[in-house]
């Protein structure tokens, strides 16, 4: 009877050990030391062996851009009569929260004889509300035809989302002298899009300052059709 009881107990113990092994619970952890757990493999980060992502704004000490400046080779030339007093908008999408201090513009050429005034850059949010703007940038458009930063009057915290960089030009200049860097995409930049989400558009006429708000549903492409190619911008 005793031998039979011992055999039964041994069999039960063996079964319990086998169960613990199968479930991975071979014993209690030491005091003060957590039990081991299976950790999920970390996702590959930017620049890892997961693959080359291409040029990024951070590679050039920028926070965001409308496109790689290496592709901004086309020169935008337009008459004062064509774009003077119009608000030109270029859409930019931010993927992370940033402090936005400057708008970078690619100035390709200048007109030393130009008479500029009431020229501004600014930022509208996706509601059409002006959230930041520069002082009059007319003097900066007369010198140094390079890509350069135009400081906002007051930096602001930009949450992830859609924004529109606004350009307003006023005055007189030679059409082929005052020129800006752009993608050259022109109207094709809006493929698949309609207002108020156009990537490139104009609004209003006769403006001497950037309005406090605009109706993005009124975005127009009529001026773009005349050759006002999409400007290149960056953020810092």
């Amino acid at each position: 009877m005793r031998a039979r009881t011992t055999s039964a107990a041994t069999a039960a113990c063996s079964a319990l050990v086998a169960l613990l092994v199968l479930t991975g619970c071979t014993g209690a952890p030491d005091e003060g030391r957590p039990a081991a757990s299976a950790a999920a493999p970390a996702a590959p980060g930017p620049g890892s062996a997961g693959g080359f992502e291409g040029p990024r704004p951070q590679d050039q000490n920028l926070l965001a851009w409308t496109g790689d400046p290496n592709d901004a080779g086309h020169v935008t030339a337009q008459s004062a009569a064509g774009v003077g007093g119009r608000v030109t908008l270029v859409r930019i999408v931010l993927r992370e929260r940033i402090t936005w201090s400057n708008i970078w513009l690619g100035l390709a050429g200048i007109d030393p004889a130009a008479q500029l005034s009431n020229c501004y850059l600014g930022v509208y949010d996706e509601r059409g509300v002006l959230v930041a703007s520069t002082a009059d940038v007319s003097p900066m458009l007369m010198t140094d035809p390079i890509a350069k930063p135009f400081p906002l009057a007051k930096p602001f915290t930009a949450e992830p989302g859609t924004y529109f960089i606004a350009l307003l030009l006023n005055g007189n200049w030679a059409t082929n002298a005052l020129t800006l860097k752009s993608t050259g995409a022109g109207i094709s930049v809006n493929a698949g899009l309609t207002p108020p989400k156009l990537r490139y558009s104009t609004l209003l006429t006769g403006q001497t300052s950037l309005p406090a708000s605009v109706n993005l549903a009124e975005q127009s492409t009529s001026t773009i059709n005349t050759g006002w190619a999409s400007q290149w911008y960056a953020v810092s």
Side-chain angles (χ1 to χ4, degrees), residues 151-170:
L152 296 174
K154 183 179 180 181
F156 73 104
T157 299
E159 301 293 342
T162 298
Y163 297 85
F164 296 86
I165 295 177
L167 170 67
L168 176 63
L169 299 176
N170 278 292

Side-chain angles (χ1 to χ4, degrees), residues 10-28:
T10 301
C13 183
S14 298
L16 178 59
V17 170
L19 179 61
L20 290 173
V21 170
L22 288 173
T23 58
C25 301
T26 55

Side-chain angles (χ1 to χ4, degrees), residues 66 76 90 181-186 189 199-200 224 228-232:
T66 55
T76 295
V90 174
K181 301 299 287 186
S182 73
T183 64
V189 76
R199 258 178 104 177
Y200 186 47
I224 297 169
W228 186 226
S230 180
Q231 292 82 45
W232 174 85

Side-chain angles (χ1 to χ4, degrees), residues 32-128:
R33 188 179 71 188
S37 60
S48 67
F52 178 64
E53 296 184 353
R56 303 173 71 227
Q58 291 76 12
D59 297 338
Q60 297 189 206
N61 298 315
L62 300 170
L63 299 176
W65 60 26
T66 55
D68 183 355
N70 190 53
D71 298 328
H74 185 78
V75 173
T76 295
Q78 183 58 280
S79 67
V83 301
R86 295 180 185 271
V87 178
T88 300
L89 300 177
V90 174
R91 194 185 76 185
I92 187 170
V93 179
L94 300 183
R95 310 296 181 185
E96 59 186 6
R97 188 186 198 204
I98 64 169
T99 297
W100 192 332
S101 303
N102 302 284
I103 296 173
W104 285 70
L105 170 69
L107 185 60
I110 62 174
D111 177 7
Q115 296 179 327
L116 304 177
S117 63
N118 299 319
C119 298
Y120 299 93
L121 287 164
V123 185
Y124 288 93
D125 64 17
E126 60 185 346
R127 300 169 300 165

